[in-house]
Each structure stands twice: as C-alpha cells, then as structure tokens.
Amino acid sequence: MNRRTRLGSALAAALAATTLTACQTGSTQDAEQVAARTSVDADAFPVTITHAFGRTTIEQEPERVATLGWSDQDNAVALGVVPVGATKLTWGGNERGSSDWFDARLAELGAASESRRPVRYDDSDGAPVEEIARLDPDVILATNSGITRQEYAKLSKIAPVVAYPEAPWTTPWQQSLEMVGKALGRSSIAEEVAAEAQAQIVGARQDHPELVGTSLIFGYLTTADLSTIGIYAPQDPRVSFLHDLGMVDAPAVADAIEPGQFYGTVSAERAGQLQSDVFLTWSESPGDLKTFADNPLIGRVPAIESGHAYAEDDKQVALAVTNPTPLSIPVIIEEFVPEVARAVAGS
C-alpha cells in the first residue's frame, strides 16, 4: 500500500470515528437520532470559560461560529457544528486552504457545497479582525491560537472570544476539544469524541511498544539556514502527542527552552550535545535529511549521525502532526507514527 492510499485509509478512519460519536447536523440519519445528537446538553448555557485573558460568558447556544488557530475548526465539525469562518491553512493545506480530513467531515455533515463551507481568512499577519467581523459571528473560538491581548480586545467587541487557557499554540488537543465542547454546549459529545480518539492512541501505543520510554527531540531544521537548530517544547501539541504514545523528552530539551515558550533555538555548533534516542523534524523535500546529515555541524546531532532520525516531507501529514485533533489523529497514527518507529529502530 503506497502512502497516498494509506492517507486515504486514515481519512476514512477519521470519518468513521467521528460518525460514531459526533452530532449530525444536516445528515440523512434517522430524524430522532439526528435530533438527539444535535441537541445541546441540558442547562449548557449560560456557560463561563476561563482562559489566558480572563473569563468569557456565552449566554446561549452559538449559531454562527468563527474559529482562529489551526485546530478549533476541526473540533467544531467533530461535534457537528460547521463554522461560518475558519483560518486558511496556508502551510500543508489543500487547494481550498483546508485539510482533507476537515473536508471529509464537511461532506459527512452535508456541508461540502461552497455555500455551506466556512469562509477562509488568512492569519499570517495576525488575527483578521475585519474579515471576522463581516461574518457576524456570535462566538469566536481561539483555544489553540496565537492571538495577542490586543487582538483579543478587538475580537471581543465582535463576539465572545474563547482564547487559549495558558500560552499561545500550546493547548493539548484534549483541552482544546473540551473548551470547544463547553462553548458550543456539547460537552457530552466532546467527551465521546475524546474517548474515541484516546482509544486510537492507546491502540497505537500497544502496536508500537518500542516507543515507550524512548527519548525524543522534535526539532526544526531548514536547508536555508544551517546555523541553528530549532527545538519544540514539551507542551507543544506535536510533542505532547508523542508523550501520549509513551515517548519522553531528552534532557537537552529543557536546556533549550525559555520558560513560557513553545520553541527554542540552539546554535548548530552545539549539535553534538543534543543527545536523544531519536530526532524528528520536517523537510521541504525528500533529500533534506541527507543534507542535514552531511552538514559538518548539524550532522553531529547524535541521533542524526547514528541514523535514528526522520524528516517528514509530506506537508499534509506534517500539518496533522502539528495540530492533533480528533479528525487528524488517525492520519498521524497511520502515516507518521510508523515512520517514528522506523527511526527509533534505525532503519
């Protein structure tokens, strides 16, 4: 089975998993079952959610949902709620600025037509406040985003904003899903979706016992600048997901990260000090890992030097790993985890 076929299989698994648990707005299921799944929890509103910028109260069930960050849109549709607007996925996204797993879920919800798809706005230059305002949302979900306090204040003039709980870009997928569930009045369904995703993670951990206890550095390397090595922090979602599989941080990680940051950098001259059982990173092309290994400095990273490294060059898979959600987790498990296991084995 080639990689494209396996990716299709993973997307089908994601769709099947959410079908079991998520609410089904606009589906062709039995009317009573649909009504039960689309109903909000009893006494769900008003609800107050605490986050990094304070407390946000949502008085009644939102009907027009806008999302920021690159995972809240997945959580919303996993619960059967189609946003009116979502962040454009400018790296790793498909031609629509979306992801294949999100689009598959839209189709399952009967919302694949252009008239029902969310408007996509670009957050490359910060929160697109004016574009979001034009959509007239009644809630803005930003539980795993990078919005600033100033942007939060501007967005709050449009609608209630549910920001990240502690620091930008570091919210675990479980907590993000829980917060979105509360904001949309669907905590019970969110718990079911989380349990299904967690069961898949447990299965992957059982399938790959060699990962348990393996020390990890998840880095960022680019052929455009071989003078530094980026290192993602333990609380970064892509790293915390690997923790769920039993992997542990190499001691060098703590030394590279400043308090409160999700990312740090190390001079390539210190490459030999970055001891770990495995080194993971991204690459723009399949040949980049060899370029890293051949570099006189970066090639001294012990795991790269010993052949225990992997550089993911499929941007769609990299997007899934960067933003674990109930919809992308099957893709991570089928496409990325086996490559990690091969790197651990040195193959």
Side-chain angles (χ1 to χ4, degrees):
M1 182 182 293
N2 61 34
R3 198 157 221 238
R4 183 174 296 276
T5 302
R6 287 191 289 116
L7 181 57
S9 175
L11 292 173
L15 184 56
T18 53
T19 299
L20 292 175
T21 53
C23 54
Q24 308 285 324
T25 305
S27 78
T28 57
Q29 292 185 359
D30 176 80
E32 291 185 3
Q33 182 180 5
V34 171
R37 290 195 180 278
T38 56
S39 298
V40 300
D41 297 335
D43 301 321
F45 298 101
V47 62
T48 299
I49 301 173
T50 302
H51 50 75
F53 301 130
R55 291 161 60 86
T56 294
T57 298
I58 302 169
E59 298 291 346
Q60 59 188 14
E61 179 185 1
E63 295 182 357
R64 296 181 61 80
V65 177
T67 68
L68 278 166
W70 286 28
S71 59
D72 283 314
Q73 76 278 352
D74 278 16
N75 290 325
V77 296
L79 303 182
V81 176
V82 179
V84 295
T87 306
K88 183 178 182 180
L89 306 182
T90 53
W91 189 92
N94 57 29
E95 67 278 0
R96 295 190 178 96
S98 181
S99 65
D100 289 354
W101 48 89
F102 182 89
D103 291 348
R105 182 63 180 146
L106 282 188
E108 201 277 334
L109 293 173
S113 65
E114 288 300 321
S115 62
R116 294 202 60 192
R117 299 179 65 85
V119 172
R120 291 282 179 171
Y121 31 72
D122 194 333
D123 68 346
S124 300
D125 296 323
V129 177
E130 293 183 3
E131 292 180 69
I132 293 173
R134 285 196 289 269
L135 296 175
D136 192 27
D138 46 26
V139 73
I140 300 169
L141 304 176
T143 69
N144 187 30
S145 71
I147 63 170
T148 64
R149 184 174 292 276
Q150 292 75 18
E151 289 171 335
Y152 171 78
K154 292 178 182 179
L155 292 165
S156 294
K157 294 178 181 178
I158 302 170
V161 181
V162 183
Y164 41 83
E166 295 182 8
W169 306 117
T170 61
T171 312
W173 70 266
Q174 299 94 327
Q175 189 172 13
S176 183
L177 177 62
E178 178 184 8
M179 295 175 75
V180 170
K182 287 182 179 179
L184 301 180
R186 290 165 167 81
S187 291
S188 296
I189 299 171
E191 290 175 3
E192 295 176 9
V193 172
E196 172 65 29
Q198 192 61 48
Q200 296 173 59
I201 293 171
V202 170
R205 182 167 175 156
Q206 293 172 343
D207 290 342
H208 296 283
E210 68 275 24
L211 300 185
V212 178
T214 296
S215 64
L216 157 78
I217 293 177
F218 208 132
Y220 172 74
L221 299 174
T222 173
T223 56
D225 180 6
L226 297 173
S227 66
T228 61
I229 300 169
I231 297 178
Y232 294 105
Q235 60 268 34
D236 182 271
R238 78 202 84 195
V239 179
S240 62
F241 181 85
L242 293 171
H243 292 167
D244 291 342
L245 295 176
M247 302 185 78
V248 299
D249 298 312
V253 173
D255 296 335
I257 310 298
E258 296 292 333
Q261 299 298 310
F262 75 96
Y263 181 86
T265 58
V266 173
S267 169
E269 294 178 352
R270 294 176 52 198
Q273 302 172 24
L274 301 180
Q275 181 67 52
S276 64
D277 293 329
V278 69
F279 186 96
L280 305 175
T281 187
W282 315 122
S283 67
E284 290 296 321
S285 65
D288 286 356
L289 183 57
K290 185 177 186 304
T291 300
F292 302 145
D294 291 344
N295 182 267
L297 293 179
I298 291 177
R300 292 170 53 211
V301 172
I304 294 179
E305 192 172 38
S306 64
H308 294 272
Y310 177 65
E312 178 59 66
D313 58 35
D314 186 316
K315 292 184 177 61
Q316 186 168 202
V317 175
L319 174 67
V321 177
T322 303
N323 304 281
T325 70
L327 300 186
S328 68
I329 283 171
V331 176
I332 300 171
I333 289 173
E334 187 155 349
E335 291 292 316
F336 186 69
V337 173
E339 301 294 347
V340 176
R342 281 189 273 273
V344 169
S347 59

PDB file of all heavy atoms in Angstrom, residues 95-115:
ATOM      1  N   GLU A  95      -5.924  22.746  -1.757  1.00  0.00           N
ATOM      2  CA  GLU A  95      -6.140  23.898  -2.639  1.00  0.00           C
ATOM      3  C   GLU A  95      -7.223  24.839  -2.124  1.00  0.00           C
ATOM      4  O   GLU A  95      -7.300  25.992  -2.532  1.00  0.00           O
ATOM      5  CB  GLU A  95      -6.489  23.428  -4.060  1.00  0.00           C
ATOM      6  CG  GLU A  95      -7.821  22.720  -4.194  1.00  0.00           C
ATOM      7  CD  GLU A  95      -7.748  21.251  -3.799  1.00  0.00           C
ATOM      8  OE1 GLU A  95      -6.648  20.794  -3.412  1.00  0.00           O
ATOM      9  OE2 GLU A  95      -8.784  20.564  -3.872  1.00  0.00           O
ATOM     10  N   ARG A  96      -8.046  24.375  -1.196  1.00  0.00           N
ATOM     11  CA  ARG A  96      -9.084  25.225  -0.613  1.00  0.00           C
ATOM     12  C   ARG A  96      -8.599  25.959   0.636  1.00  0.00           C
ATOM     13  O   ARG A  96      -9.365  26.680   1.258  1.00  0.00           O
ATOM     14  CB  ARG A  96     -10.310  24.380  -0.244  1.00  0.00           C
ATOM     15  CG  ARG A  96     -11.043  23.750  -1.414  1.00  0.00           C
ATOM     16  CD  ARG A  96     -12.352  23.153  -0.916  1.00  0.00           C
ATOM     17  NE  ARG A  96     -13.126  22.566  -1.981  1.00  0.00           N
ATOM     18  CZ  ARG A  96     -13.120  21.279  -2.297  1.00  0.00           C
ATOM     19  NH1 ARG A  96     -12.351  20.449  -1.607  1.00  0.00           N
ATOM     20  NH2 ARG A  96     -13.859  20.809  -3.282  1.00  0.00           N
ATOM     21  N   GLY A  97      -7.332  25.743   1.012  1.00  0.00           N
ATOM     22  CA  GLY A  97      -6.860  26.294   2.273  1.00  0.00           C
ATOM     23  C   GLY A  97      -7.458  25.550   3.447  1.00  0.00           C
ATOM     24  O   GLY A  97      -7.553  26.077   4.558  1.00  0.00           O
ATOM     25  N   SER A  98      -7.814  24.302   3.212  1.00  0.00           N
ATOM     26  CA  SER A  98      -8.433  23.448   4.216  1.00  0.00           C
ATOM     27  C   SER A  98      -7.580  22.190   4.341  1.00  0.00           C
ATOM     28  O   SER A  98      -6.464  22.120   3.832  1.00  0.00           O
ATOM     29  CB  SER A  98      -9.864  23.118   3.785  1.00  0.00           C
ATOM     30  OG  SER A  98     -10.525  22.317   4.733  1.00  0.00           O
ATOM     31  N   SER A  99      -8.092  21.177   5.051  1.00  0.00           N
ATOM     32  CA  SER A  99      -7.427  19.875   5.114  1.00  0.00           C
ATOM     33  C   SER A  99      -8.384  18.820   4.586  1.00  0.00           C
ATOM     34  O   SER A  99      -9.612  18.998   4.621  1.00  0.00           O
ATOM     35  CB  SER A  99      -7.025  19.541   6.557  1.00  0.00           C
ATOM     36  OG  SER A  99      -8.174  19.373   7.377  1.00  0.00           O
ATOM     37  N   ASP A 100      -7.837  17.725   4.099  1.00  0.00           N
ATOM     38  CA  ASP A 100      -8.686  16.673   3.554  1.00  0.00           C
ATOM     39  C   ASP A 100      -9.592  16.070   4.623  1.00  0.00           C
ATOM     40  O   ASP A 100     -10.729  15.679   4.334  1.00  0.00           O
ATOM     41  CB  ASP A 100      -7.831  15.578   2.915  1.00  0.00           C
ATOM     42  CG  ASP A 100      -7.175  16.037   1.623  1.00  0.00           C
ATOM     43  OD1 ASP A 100      -7.472  17.164   1.172  1.00  0.00           O
ATOM     44  OD2 ASP A 100      -6.359  15.273   1.074  1.00  0.00           O
ATOM     45  N   TRP A 101      -9.083  15.966   5.876  1.00  0.00           N
ATOM     46  CA  TRP A 101      -9.931  15.381   6.930  1.00  0.00           C
ATOM     47  C   TRP A 101     -11.064  16.322   7.320  1.00  0.00           C
ATOM     48  O   TRP A 101     -12.163  15.862   7.609  1.00  0.00           O
ATOM     49  CB  TRP A 101      -9.085  14.978   8.142  1.00  0.00           C
ATOM     50  CG  TRP A 101      -8.118  16.008   8.637  1.00  0.00           C
ATOM     51  CD1 TRP A 101      -8.342  16.988   9.563  1.00  0.00           C
ATOM     52  CD2 TRP A 101      -6.763  16.155   8.221  1.00  0.00           C
ATOM     53  NE1 TRP A 101      -7.214  17.735   9.754  1.00  0.00           N
ATOM     54  CE2 TRP A 101      -6.221  17.248   8.956  1.00  0.00           C
ATOM     55  CE3 TRP A 101      -5.944  15.467   7.328  1.00  0.00           C
ATOM     56  CZ2 TRP A 101      -4.899  17.669   8.806  1.00  0.00           C
ATOM     57  CZ3 TRP A 101      -4.637  15.889   7.182  1.00  0.00           C
ATOM     58  CH2 TRP A 101      -4.125  16.977   7.911  1.00  0.00           C
ATOM     59  N   PHE A 102     -10.823  17.620   7.294  1.00  0.00           N
ATOM     60  CA  PHE A 102     -11.895  18.583   7.561  1.00  0.00           C
ATOM     61  C   PHE A 102     -12.935  18.518   6.445  1.00  0.00           C
ATOM     62  O   PHE A 102     -14.149  18.488   6.704  1.00  0.00           O
ATOM     63  CB  PHE A 102     -11.312  19.993   7.668  1.00  0.00           C
ATOM     64  CG  PHE A 102     -12.326  21.057   7.981  1.00  0.00           C
ATOM     65  CD1 PHE A 102     -12.638  21.379   9.293  1.00  0.00           C
ATOM     66  CD2 PHE A 102     -12.969  21.752   6.961  1.00  0.00           C
ATOM     67  CE1 PHE A 102     -13.574  22.366   9.587  1.00  0.00           C
ATOM     68  CE2 PHE A 102     -13.895  22.736   7.239  1.00  0.00           C
ATOM     69  CZ  PHE A 102     -14.204  23.046   8.561  1.00  0.00           C
ATOM     70  N   ASP A 103     -12.465  18.480   5.199  1.00  0.00           N
ATOM     71  CA  ASP A 103     -13.392  18.429   4.069  1.00  0.00           C
ATOM     72  C   ASP A 103     -14.212  17.147   4.075  1.00  0.00           C
ATOM     73  O   ASP A 103     -15.396  17.152   3.722  1.00  0.00           O
ATOM     74  CB  ASP A 103     -12.620  18.550   2.755  1.00  0.00           C
ATOM     75  CG  ASP A 103     -12.021  19.936   2.552  1.00  0.00           C
ATOM     76  OD1 ASP A 103     -12.390  20.854   3.308  1.00  0.00           O
ATOM     77  OD2 ASP A 103     -11.181  20.083   1.646  1.00  0.00           O
ATOM     78  N   ALA A 104     -13.594  16.034   4.467  1.00  0.00           N
ATOM     79  CA  ALA A 104     -14.331  14.771   4.550  1.00  0.00           C
ATOM     80  C   ALA A 104     -15.430  14.868   5.595  1.00  0.00           C
ATOM     81  O   ALA A 104     -16.541  14.362   5.397  1.00  0.00           O
ATOM     82  CB  ALA A 104     -13.379  13.626   4.888  1.00  0.00           C
ATOM     83  N   ARG A 105     -15.131  15.530   6.692  1.00  0.00           N
ATOM     84  CA  ARG A 105     -16.140  15.689   7.744  1.00  0.00           C
ATOM     85  C   ARG A 105     -17.270  16.611   7.266  1.00  0.00           C
ATOM     86  O   ARG A 105     -18.453  16.356   7.553  1.00  0.00           O
ATOM     87  CB  ARG A 105     -15.490  16.243   9.013  1.00  0.00           C
ATOM     88  CG  ARG A 105     -16.462  16.391  10.174  1.00  0.00           C
ATOM     89  CD  ARG A 105     -17.027  15.056  10.603  1.00  0.00           C
ATOM     90  NE  ARG A 105     -17.947  15.232  11.715  1.00  0.00           N
ATOM     91  CZ  ARG A 105     -19.025  14.492  11.894  1.00  0.00           C
ATOM     92  NH1 ARG A 105     -19.339  13.538  11.044  1.00  0.00           N
ATOM     93  NH2 ARG A 105     -19.800  14.702  12.931  1.00  0.00           N
ATOM     94  N   LEU A 106     -16.920  17.678   6.538  1.00  0.00           N
ATOM     95  CA  LEU A 106     -17.960  18.544   5.978  1.00  0.00           C
ATOM     96  C   LEU A 106     -18.901  17.750   5.076  1.00  0.00           C
ATOM     97  O   LEU A 106     -20.125  17.918   5.126  1.00  0.00           O
ATOM     98  CB  LEU A 106     -17.330  19.679   5.169  1.00  0.00           C
ATOM     99  CG  LEU A 106     -16.725  20.866   5.902  1.00  0.00           C
ATOM    100  CD1 LEU A 106     -16.335  21.940   4.893  1.00  0.00           C
ATOM    101  CD2 LEU A 106     -17.666  21.447   6.944  1.00  0.00           C
ATOM    102  N   ALA A 107     -18.328  16.897   4.225  1.00  0.00           N
ATOM    103  CA  ALA A 107     -19.145  16.089   3.327  1.00  0.00           C
ATOM    104  C   ALA A 107     -20.073  15.186   4.120  1.00  0.00           C
ATOM    105  O   ALA A 107     -21.249  15.018   3.773  1.00  0.00           O
ATOM    106  CB  ALA A 107     -18.255  15.272   2.399  1.00  0.00           C
ATOM    107  N   GLU A 108     -19.568  14.596   5.185  1.00  0.00           N
ATOM    108  CA  GLU A 108     -20.384  13.707   6.009  1.00  0.00           C
ATOM    109  C   GLU A 108     -21.525  14.470   6.676  1.00  0.00           C
ATOM    110  O   GLU A 108     -22.610  13.925   6.893  1.00  0.00           O
ATOM    111  CB  GLU A 108     -19.492  13.034   7.053  1.00  0.00           C
ATOM    112  CG  GLU A 108     -20.055  11.751   7.635  1.00  0.00           C
ATOM    113  CD  GLU A 108     -21.026  12.016   8.761  1.00  0.00           C
ATOM    114  OE1 GLU A 108     -20.917  13.068   9.429  1.00  0.00           O
ATOM    115  OE2 GLU A 108     -21.910  11.175   8.964  1.00  0.00           O
ATOM    116  N   LEU A 109     -21.296  15.752   6.954  1.00  0.00           N
ATOM    117  CA  LEU A 109     -22.328  16.591   7.573  1.00  0.00           C
ATOM    118  C   LEU A 109     -23.254  17.227   6.534  1.00  0.00           C
ATOM    119  O   LEU A 109     -24.156  17.978   6.893  1.00  0.00           O
ATOM    120  CB  LEU A 109     -21.678  17.702   8.407  1.00  0.00           C
ATOM    121  CG  LEU A 109     -20.917  17.258   9.658  1.00  0.00           C
ATOM    122  CD1 LEU A 109     -20.179  18.432  10.278  1.00  0.00           C
ATOM    123  CD2 LEU A 109     -21.871  16.641  10.668  1.00  0.00           C
ATOM    124  N   GLY A 110     -23.023  16.931   5.250  1.00  0.00           N
ATOM    125  CA  GLY A 110     -23.848  17.514   4.206  1.00  0.00           C
ATOM    126  C   GLY A 110     -23.544  18.978   3.974  1.00  0.00           C
ATOM    127  O   GLY A 110     -24.413  19.745   3.536  1.00  0.00           O
ATOM    128  N   ALA A 111     -22.292  19.395   4.253  1.00  0.00           N
ATOM    129  CA  ALA A 111     -21.930  20.808   4.151  1.00  0.00           C
ATOM    130  C   ALA A 111     -20.748  21.030   3.224  1.00  0.00           C
ATOM    131  O   ALA A 111     -19.958  21.954   3.420  1.00  0.00           O
ATOM    132  CB  ALA A 111     -21.614  21.356   5.544  1.00  0.00           C
ATOM    133  N   ALA A 112     -20.620  20.181   2.202  1.00  0.00           N
ATOM    134  CA  ALA A 112     -19.465  20.277   1.312  1.00  0.00           C
ATOM    135  C   ALA A 112     -19.651  21.316   0.207  1.00  0.00           C
ATOM    136  O   ALA A 112     -18.674  21.690  -0.448  1.00  0.00           O
ATOM    137  CB  ALA A 112     -19.179  18.916   0.694  1.00  0.00           C
ATOM    138  N   SER A 113     -20.860  21.800  -0.023  1.00  0.00           N
ATOM    139  CA  SER A 113     -21.086  22.772  -1.087  1.00  0.00           C
ATOM    140  C   SER A 113     -20.438  24.104  -0.720  1.00  0.00           C
ATOM    141  O   SER A 113     -20.253  24.428   0.457  1.00  0.00           O
ATOM    142  CB  SER A 113     -22.581  22.971  -1.307  1.00  0.00           C
ATOM    143  OG  SER A 113     -23.190  23.558  -0.174  1.00  0.00           O
ATOM    144  N   GLU A 114     -20.109  24.885  -1.743  1.00  0.00           N
ATOM    145  CA  GLU A 114     -19.444  26.167  -1.500  1.00  0.00           C
ATOM    146  C   GLU A 114     -20.292  27.085  -0.635  1.00  0.00           C
ATOM    147  O   GLU A 114     -19.765  27.874   0.151  1.00  0.00           O
ATOM    148  CB  GLU A 114     -19.123  26.851  -2.835  1.00  0.00           C
ATOM    149  CG  GLU A 114     -18.001  26.188  -3.618  1.00  0.00           C
ATOM    150  CD  GLU A 114     -16.696  26.158  -2.847  1.00  0.00           C
ATOM    151  OE1 GLU A 114     -16.386  27.153  -2.158  1.00  0.00           O
ATOM    152  OE2 GLU A 114     -15.992  25.126  -2.921  1.00  0.00           O
ATOM    153  N   SER A 115     -21.597  26.981  -0.735  1.00  0.00           N
ATOM    154  CA  SER A 115     -22.466  27.858   0.038  1.00  0.00           C
ATOM    155  C   SER A 115     -22.456  27.538   1.522  1.00  0.00           C
ATOM    156  O   SER A 115     -22.787  28.386   2.350  1.00  0.00           O
ATOM    157  CB  SER A 115     -23.910  27.768  -0.495  1.00  0.00           C
ATOM    158  OG  SER A 115     -24.418  26.444  -0.339  1.00  0.00           O
TER     159      SER A 115
END
